Structures are given as C-alpha cells and as structure tokens.
Amino acid sequence: MHPNKIAPMAVETPVNTRAIQELDAAHYLHPFTDSKALASQGSRVMVRGEGIYIWDSEGKRLLDGMSGLWCMNVGYGRKSIADAVYAQMQQLPFYNSFFQTTNVPAVQLAAKLVEISPPQFNHVFFTGSGSEGNDTIIRMVRRYWDLQGYKDRHVIISRHNAYHGSTMAGASLGGMSGMHEQGGMIAGIVHIGQPYYLEGGKDKTPEEFGLEAASWLEQKILEVGVDKVAAFIGEPVQGAGGVIVPPSTYWPEIQRICDKYGILLVADEVICGFGRLGHWFGSEYFGIKPDLMTFAKGVTSGYVPLGGVLVGDRVADVLIEKGGDFNHGFTYSGHPVACAAALENIRIIQEEKLVERVRDDTGPYLKQKFETLADHPLVGAADTCGFVAGINLVRKKAANVHDCVSFDAKLEVGMVCRSHMFNNGMIMRAVGDRMIIAPPLVMTHAEIDEMVALIRACLDATLTDITQRGWM
Ligand SMILES: Cc1ncc(COP(=O)(O)O)c(C=O)c1O
C-alpha cells in the first residue's frame, strides 16, 4: 500500500467515530456536498435504525422526519424484508433481463405494480433509481412519437425548481439551476414556472393562482410549437423543491391542456408514490391520469435500490406493436434481489394498510397537529399533504401570508434551524428558509405528537439563537 494512503480498517463495535470520520474525509466524496467543508466538520456516522428512529455512532437517537431520503415508508428494521433479500440472494442473486430471459421476482413485481396502479397501467420498465427512471422516460416518449412518424416531437416541458434526479438527463428535466450550471443540460427540455402559491399567488386565491400557473404550460406549448412538444413532466407535489403542494385547480387544468394538445402527461412519483399522499400514487390524490409514471424510493422503502417506469397503454401499445428493439436498459433492470425486497415491502404496506392509514387517520392527524406550528413566532405558514409537510420561517409574521417579511437569504436561517433540529434529535430538511418533513408512513399518533413537540422546541431554540445574533 502506498505510504500516503490510509489503510482500510475493521469496523469496531462500538464504532470509532473519529476513525470513521477521518477515513470518510480521506476517501468518500458525498453527493450534493462541499467535501472540503465536510472534512473540516466531520460527518455524522449513522449506525442503526428502528421504526422511525436512527442512531448515530455516539449513541444519539434521532427521529427521522425525512424517512432517510423520502423513502423509508415502512420504517427501519423490517426483518421480513431482510429475510426476503437473503432468501433471494441464496436462490438467484442476479440475472439480467436482456437476452430473452427473466426472473421470478421481477415478473411478480411487475404484475403487483400493475395491480396497485391506476387502470391505464399494464406494463413496467425497471431501472436502478429514480434518475434512471427519468432517463428512461426521455427515451421512451421520444421513441413513442418517432414510431408514429412525428420526428420533431421531442421537446419535454418541465418546471423550474422541479427535481427529477441527478444523471445528466434527470438534472436536465429538473429545474435546479445549480445543477444546470455544473455540466450543462441535454437538448430539447424547457421549463415553466412552478405552482408555488406563497411565491406567486399574492392578491389571488389559491384556485386562481393554480389556473394561472397551469396556463403557463399552454403558453409554452404554443411558443415551442404544438408539433414539437412530446410531453409534460411534473412531481404531483414537488419534494426536493420544498414540498410545494399545488392549488387544487392546478393538476386538472394541466391534464386538460395535455389532452387538448395530445401531449403525454408524465407524473414523477418517485416521492409521492407508495402511499405518501394517502393514495398509492400522488396523481390519484390530484385526480389526474398520467400516461407514464416514474417510481423509486418507496417501492422498496429504500432497503435496496430500485426504480422504474409504469408505462400506460397509450405508450406501451405503440412501443410493443410498432417498436421492435427498445435500445435501452440497465444491468440491474429487474434485479431479482431488489424486486424481492419490493414485493415484501408492498406486502407490508398492504397488510398494515399504510396507504389507507395515511389517507384516513394519520395524515389528517398530522395535518391537525403540524398546522398548530403556524402560531410560532418564526412560522409564516405551515401546511401538509398526506405525509409531507413544510413550514416557512419568517422574520415578521402577518395575517396574510404574502405580507410576511422574509429573512435575508444570505443568513441561511433554514440551515441554522436544521442544526438545532439535528442537535435536539430531529431530522428535518431545510430548503432555503422552508423546513420540510416526509416521515415514515408507520408513524403513530403518539409519534406524531412527539415529533411536533420536538419541532416546536427546536423552533424555540432557533428563535433564541437568531435573536441573540440580532437577526430578528
Ligand atoms: C421526484 C424525484 N424524481 C427523481 C429522483 C431521483 O431519484 P434517485 O435519487 O433514486 O435517482 C428524486 C430523488 O429525490 C425525486 O425526488
């Protein structure tokens, strides 16, 4: 071994935090992270999970308000998923689906996904992640139009502040300028504004604003040219953009416009799927009928990586009848171990009625409790939708949410608040000055009470801290 290199080591129990942090800083480039800054602080080392909690290497327990990364729908510590994975690994750890071969869990999972999804879906394409799912979407919608002789119909319309993944195609579909700045964008993707009422709805009702935001799609279609537009893609509720729940008028109007011009409607269900909004898929919550749906995360509750695309009949019929070879796929498309994990995960969701619980019981309860945070002096607005929720931190409250006074963005109050959350045992994500959660769907009423009390205590700590800094 070269003398400059740090030797890998056996992991001790209890974990030697310092040693892991040093190795981490030496070798591990983290996603979406300033590696230099992280190296100087040291990462928090996560070692164990159970239910809605995780523990770090110092023995600190954290309530995971973000379900890992929007994915731990059934919670941590599910032995039956581990058993399903172990059994499949012993039986057949891997085989590909490329050369006229298949495997049992992949077929069973495809059939299961068809069973739980809306009636227009009868086919599934598997990938390893949500980003790969959205790459698949691009090739698939373009192929769909090509096969019917519409060679120019290639443009996909998405939205600013959307998140559709981190591969070049996923990031291009997404509307995150920070990502576009690093590496550019692939061609043929354009963006419209997001349906964020707090941002653009001043002097309008949410319903009026929803229609206005949807009208931007029609304007863009006409600007690009109807004969050039292939599809519109959106997350039913924008997740990484800050849990942006569109007004009720938005999605039905988007559907009407897509239908009017015959363009494909794609729902990115990577976060909203598998019960998060109290329906199997978020598009059902909003009453829309997409032609394609991307999924990942909740399909396995994150136990192992898996993603894919549910392909509606309109697209599948053309691809299958006219398509010949579809020149697309991944080594791990239909990975038997990942599919076995997904099957067990979905079995748990069904057995424990997690979708119905979020819709009828814990979702409404979370709403009732979480929205009480709106009375906190730092909170300008608090809202939920199923099992996602957000609060806007403001310097000065007002009766009309649009009249609240924001903090100077440079102060990064959201990050200050996030640190107080972490230090007090609560994981909540900051998107600018909006604090968001997407907790595991297994949460009980008592755990919701505990979480909301914890958030309030952390908001108090944030308020004290920033008052001392003279920011209020
Ligand atoms: C809506 C949405 N689409 C796609 C992705 C990308 O998924 P992955 O990170 O599995 O590639 C994400 C990830 O957060 C997402 O939230």
Side-chain angles (χ1 to χ4, degrees):
M1 178 147 179
H2 192 278
N4 285 345
K5 295 193 175 179
I6 302 177
M9 56 178 190
V11 176
E12 300 161 29
T13 315
V15 171
N16 179 338
T17 305
R18 195 79 205 105
I20 293 285
Q21 285 173 330
E22 273 172 25
L23 266 189
D24 183 63
H27 299 304
Y28 185 11
L29 291 176
H30 292 230
F32 288 98
T33 296
D34 176 341
S35 295
K36 197 168 161 189
L38 184 68
S40 69
Q41 291 155 16
S43 326
R44 192 184 288 267
V45 184
M46 300 306 189
V47 293
R48 189 164 78 81
E50 187 63 44
I52 63 165
Y53 302 102
I54 50 172
W55 282 261
D56 71 15
S57 55
E58 298 295 282
K60 187 177 175 61
R61 190 185 84 163
L62 296 125
L63 192 160
D64 185 5
M66 280 307 298
S67 299
L69 202 55
W70 319 87
C71 50
M72 261 300 149
N73 290 15
V74 300
Y76 295 90
R78 294 288 189 159
K79 185 168 178 305
S80 67
I81 300 182
D83 288 344
V85 163
Y86 183 57
Q88 185 56 45
M89 280 191 167
Q90 288 176 309
Q91 178 77 27
L92 178 72
F94 174 74
Y95 199 72
N96 72 70
S97 301
F98 281 40
F99 309 117
Q100 298 178 353
T101 54
T102 193
N103 68 76
V104 177
V107 175
Q108 286 176 324
L109 180 60
K112 190 74 196 174
L113 291 170
V114 165
E115 179 196 311
I116 62 173
S117 60
Q120 70 271 27
F121 294 104
N122 285 294
H123 293 87
V124 183
F125 193 97
F126 288 116
T127 68
S129 68
S131 301
E132 289 175 4
N134 283 326
D135 280 31
T136 303
I137 291 280
I138 296 182
R139 178 164 279 138
M140 208 176 256
V141 301
R142 289 180 173 170
R143 179 84 179 136
Y144 166 82
W145 288 113
D146 280 353
L147 284 168
Q148 297 174 96
Y150 299 100
K151 292 277 173 209
D152 290 337
R153 229 170 155 158
H154 272 195
V155 176
I156 300 173
I157 303 178
S158 178
R159 301 176 298 181
H160 297 299
N161 201 34
Y163 188 77
H164 296 298
S166 179
T167 53
M168 282 302 295
S172 303
L173 281 178
M176 301 289 175
S177 52
M179 297 178 81
H180 298 162
E181 280 158 19
Q182 299 186 1
M185 288 173 68
I186 64 169
I189 295 167
V190 295
H191 296 84
I192 59 172
Q194 58 178 341
Y196 187 18
Y197 179 63
L198 296 185
E199 179 188 76
K202 192 167 164 53
D203 300 328
K204 295 174 195 113
T205 64
E207 292 72 26
E208 285 165 354
F209 175 68
L211 292 177
E212 179 185 319
S215 76
W216 302 332
L217 173 60
E218 187 155 26
Q219 283 165 27
K220 188 57 92 178
I221 293 170
L222 297 175
E223 182 191 314
V224 171
V226 181
D227 53 346
K228 294 200 170 50
V229 179
F232 173 75
I233 184 168
E235 305 148 82
V237 169
Q238 284 157 262
V243 176
I244 295 170
V245 183
S248 61
T249 47
Y250 179 75
W251 275 113
E253 182 64 4
I254 290 283
Q255 174 86 65
R256 189 191 66 77
I257 294 166
C258 287
D259 291 349
K260 177 173 171 190
Y261 296 101
I263 71 171
L264 294 169
L265 176 57
V266 185
D268 182 338
E269 296 274 1
V270 168
I271 284 177
C272 297
F274 301 93
R276 180 126 321 264
L277 305 188
H279 294 262
W280 277 104
F281 296 94
S283 32
E284 295 170 288
Y285 176 94
F286 289 104
I288 53 168
K289 201 166 166 265
D291 298 298
L292 296 152
M293 298 199 296
T294 325
F295 63 87
K297 297 190 189 274
V299 65
T300 58
S301 286
Y303 276 73
V304 283
L306 179 68
V309 177
L310 272 152
V311 185
D313 293 341
R314 174 180 172 191
V315 176
D317 289 351
V318 173
L319 286 184
I320 295 166
E321 288 308 318
K322 303 190 176 182
D325 276 356
F326 183 46
N327 296 327
H328 183 83
F330 305 95
T331 300
Y332 301 129
S333 289
H335 193 296
V337 173
C339 293
L343 282 165
E344 177 56 17
N345 173 62
I346 294 171
R347 195 198 62 73
I348 293 172
I349 295 177
Q350 288 187 312
E351 184 181 81
E352 298 183 8
K353 299 197 175 356
L354 294 180
V355 179
E356 296 82 352
R357 259 168 68 184
V358 170
R359 188 189 62 209
D360 302 331
D361 176 16
T362 49
Y365 189 74
L366 176 68
K367 185 175 191 62
Q368 185 195 330
K369 293 289 159 173
F370 189 86
E371 291 184 358
T372 62
L373 295 168
D375 69 7
H376 192 276
L378 264 184
V379 175
D383 55 307
T384 73
C385 180
F387 251 43
V388 291
I391 50 183
N392 289 57
L393 303 180
V394 294
R395 193 160 65 78
K396 209 152 163 246
K397 288 164 78 91
N400 180 332
V401 66
H402 291 106
D403 297 329
C404 291
V405 181
S406 309
F407 287 99
D408 181 345
K410 287 204 276 303
L411 297 176
E412 297 194 345
V413 169
M415 295 305 280
V416 174
C417 182
R418 192 185 77 163
S419 297
H420 284 291
M421 296 277 171
F422 249 110
N423 294 338
N424 288 292
M426 173 71 207
I427 298 184
M428 199 168 185
R429 180 160 163 179
V431 180
D433 290 347
R434 188 160 159 84
M435 304 301 299
I436 59 175
I437 53 166
L441 308 188
V442 289
M443 256 192 173
T444 61
H445 285 214
E447 288 168 339
I448 290 171
D449 291 345
E450 180 193 337
M451 177 175 72
V452 173
L454 205 47
I455 294 173
R456 184 175 286 278
C458 297
L459 288 170
D460 289 344
T462 307
L463 180 59
T464 306
D465 180 355
I466 62 178
T467 304
Q468 280 164 4
R469 296 183 198 209
W471 292 358
M472 282 305 284

